[in-house]
Every structure is written in C-alpha cells, then in structure tokens.
Amino acid sequence: MAEKLAPEKRHDFIHNGQKVFEWDQTLEEVNIYINLPPNVHSKQFYCKIQSKHVEVGIKGNPPYLNHDLTCPVKTDSSFWTLEDGIMHITLQKRDKGQTWASPILGQGQLDPYATDLEQKRLMLQRFQEENPGFDFSQAQFSGNCPDPRTFMGGIRSD
C-alpha cells in the first residue's frame, strides 16, 4: 500500500529555461536525477555530499552543480549511483517528514499549490507508515494540511 503514496511524478528543476535535473521526495529522502552527457566514462563523474551542500561534476572540469541544500541531510546514509545514463543522488533527510520545496536553497522552488500537494502526500505516507493495516491511498485533506513532522506529537522514531 505504501507504493500507492509514492511520488507520482518527478519535479523538473529548471534554470535559465533549461532542465538541470529532476527530483522527488519521500518522508525520509530527496532524490535527484541528472541525465549524464554521452561519451564520458563513468569513472569521470563525481558527487560530493555534505550536510548542507552538494557538488556534482566531471573530474577536471568546473562543477555542474555546486549549491547549498534547502535543508540538512544525513551524510552517512546519503549516496549516489550511476545507471542507464542517469546519476541518481539519494539525500537522506536529517528531519524526517520535512517537506522540501526544492533541493537547492533559494532556487527552483515549487509553487505554493505544488508544495501543499507534496505536504499532503507526505502526511499520508506518515499515516500509512504508522498504521500499516490501513489504506490511505484514497484519503484526502480538506483545507490546510498539518506539518507531517509535528502533527500529533511528531513522527515516531522507533
């Protein structure tokens, strides 16, 4: 049932009219997907993940991304992989349940409507995680959705 509450589609991160990467999020992670240029050996790519910063590029060249993150991440459980021409960066949220409007601080923010939809989806994921015998995939919120991190005492960490 949890897969029914997974992100339906990825968000595009656009800069100067060009798609830089796609991204999505769950209660625990933010995922970034970067299409890699052809004819570059996989060993040439690098990704440095720090608690509030990410740098991605090709060795010997200026970085493709070199930005502060919107929120801090757990570096020991964040990682990156290369597969089928895509770099997939998995950032483990330090604050489980926090809704990110963008992975990059101050840039590419989702509009308020899309942010609200994300927060509602994350809240339903939280309900599903805490109540595995119930199906929340068709549940809806009327009005404002509470913050998944703090609602009813916050997320349990057991």
Side-chain angles (χ1 to χ4, degrees), residues 28-67:
E28 299 180 9
E29 300 172 344
V30 172
N31 296 288
I32 298 175
Y33 307 90
I34 301 172
N35 288 323
L36 300 174
N39 304 320
V40 179
H41 195 275
S42 62
K43 293 189 186 300
Q44 290 297 105
F45 296 104
Y46 73 92
C47 178
K48 295 179 187 173
I49 302 169
Q50 298 172 326
S51 65
K52 289 208 60 143
H53 193 87
V54 67
E55 183 180 327
V56 174
I58 299 172
K59 294 175 186 171
N61 293 287
Y64 179 71
L65 285 179
N66 189 15
H67 295 284

Side-chain angles (χ1 to χ4, degrees), residues 11-29:
H11 305 288
D12 290 337
F13 183 92
I14 307 291
H15 183 70
N16 292 334
Q18 188 172 356
K19 182 166 69 170
V20 179
F21 59 81
E22 295 178 332
W23 70 281
D24 62 27
Q25 66 184 309
T26 67
L27 276 174
E28 299 180 9
E29 300 172 344

Side-chain angles (χ1 to χ4, degrees), residues 51-98:
S51 65
K52 289 208 60 143
H53 193 87
V54 67
E55 183 180 327
V56 174
I58 299 172
K59 294 175 186 171
N61 293 287
Y64 179 71
L65 285 179
N66 189 15
H67 295 284
D68 288 336
L69 298 169
T70 298
C71 300
V73 299
K74 297 177 183 177
T75 56
D76 60 340
S77 48
S78 296
F79 60 93
W80 60 283
T81 60
L82 301 176
E83 187 175 344
D84 298 328
I86 295 174
M87 178 183 281
H88 177 192
I89 305 169
T90 301
L91 302 171
Q92 191 77 28
K93 294 178 179 179
R94 189 186 73 192
D95 299 317
K96 181 178 176 179
Q98 184 160 19

